[in-house]
Amino acid sequence: MSKDKMYIYKMLKPILGPIFKFYYNPTIIGKENIPKEGRLLIVGNHKHLYDQCLAIISTKRPIHYMAKKEYFDGKMAWFFKSVGCIPVDRSKKDNNATNSALEVLNNNFVLGLFPEGTRNKTNKKLLPFKFGAVSMANKTDSYILPFGISGDYKFRSENLVVKFGKPYKVSNDLEKENKKLESIVSKLIDEAKNSGK
């Protein structure tokens, strides 16, 4: 992220963050688990366009999110570009996006990623996880911080909860690690749902 984009990110967050918190009234559990420095992948389930906002308001660290390239073609393109999002072409293996994401991690920044690859609009708790998160964590020796989101994005919501787990590093067995990550996120979703908000 360039200094200009970091400036815009840091300028917008104190304005938009409190508005988001007031409007959606989210409960945030475990934000103390977010490392204050170092290479980090923040990953979890994806049910709504605003899911990334829950992570953004939970840490002072800027988060670079990977987002589908269509977001960069519409009226809100300026916003996604200005806050350091990385466009991803989901119709192909997007090496440019992957390289940009690896660069973020190698520079000790934070990368936000949804392993489901798209918003889950089904009745299933999770869509099958893609390997991008565990693969990039392995290649860059980065920590993964899993989270689970439950509830509804409604005005003054009474059940919107995000719960962060503990950061950890992955092994070279990506098949095993991907299943582990999916299992952890699934458990965090249940814990968020049962948090008693």
Side-chain angles (χ1 to χ4, degrees), residues 24 26 45 47-48 51 54 148-154 157-162 189-190 192-195 197:
Y24 291 110
N45 61 311
K47 62 196 296 292
H48 194 278
D51 289 337
L54 291 171
I149 297 171
S150 179
D152 303 305
Y153 287 86
K154 295 180 179 179
S157 176
E158 297 182 354
N159 67 351
L160 181 60
V161 181
V162 58
I189 294 170
D190 290 337
K193 185 176 182 180
N194 297 325
S195 65
K197 181 174 178 181

Side-chain angles (χ1 to χ4, degrees), residues 9 13 20-21 26 28 31 34 40-45 50-65 110-114 145-147 149 153 162-164:
Y9 185 106
K13 184 178 174 181
F20 180 90
K21 286 180 181 179
I28 301 170
K31 67 179 181 179
I34 304 175
L40 182 66
L41 274 150
I42 292 184
V43 299
N45 61 311
Y50 295 154
D51 289 337
Q52 64 267 28
C53 298
L54 291 171
I56 289 171
I57 64 173
S58 300
T59 178
K60 294 180 179 179
R61 301 183 68 183
I63 304 174
H64 300 252
Y65 264 96
V110 184
L111 182 71
L113 188 63
F114 297 111
L145 183 84
F147 66 80
I149 297 171
Y153 287 86
V162 58
K163 181 169 184 180
F164 294 95

Side-chain angles (χ1 to χ4, degrees), residues 106-141:
N106 284 325
N107 282 307
N108 292 316
F109 292 129
V110 184
L111 182 71
L113 188 63
F114 297 111
E116 292 171 282
T118 187
R119 274 183 281 169
N120 183 359
K121 299 178 182 179
T122 73
N123 292 324
K124 297 178 181 179
K125 189 193 301 185
L126 289 170
L127 300 175
F129 275 22
K130 299 181 183 299
F131 282 82
V134 294
S135 176
M136 285 190 281
N138 178 261
K139 288 178 180 177
T140 60
D141 193 32

Side-chain angles (χ1 to χ4, degrees), residues 39 41 43 66 86 88 97-106 111-114 131-144 170 174:
R39 301 172 181 182
L41 274 150
V43 299
M66 300 189 76
I86 299 169
V88 182
T98 300
N99 290 337
S100 295
L102 292 174
E103 183 179 359
V104 165
L105 294 170
N106 284 325
L111 182 71
L113 188 63
F114 297 111
F131 282 82
V134 294
S135 176
M136 285 190 281
N138 178 261
K139 288 178 180 177
T140 60
D141 193 32
S142 300
Y143 279 96
I144 283 183
V170 302
L174 298 187

Side-chain angles (χ1 to χ4, degrees), residues 5 7 16 27 47-48 97 125 134 137 151 160 172-173:
K5 288 182 178 178
Y7 173 77
L16 299 180
T27 293
K47 62 196 296 292
H48 194 278
K125 189 193 301 185
V134 294
L160 181 60
N172 291 324
D173 188 342

Side-chain angles (χ1 to χ4, degrees), residues 67-82:
K68 63 181 181 179
K69 70 178 182 64
E70 287 81 1
Y71 288 155
F72 296 79
D73 299 328
K75 294 179 180 178
M76 292 298 291
W78 68 271
F79 177 78
F80 291 102
K81 291 176 182 177
S82 69

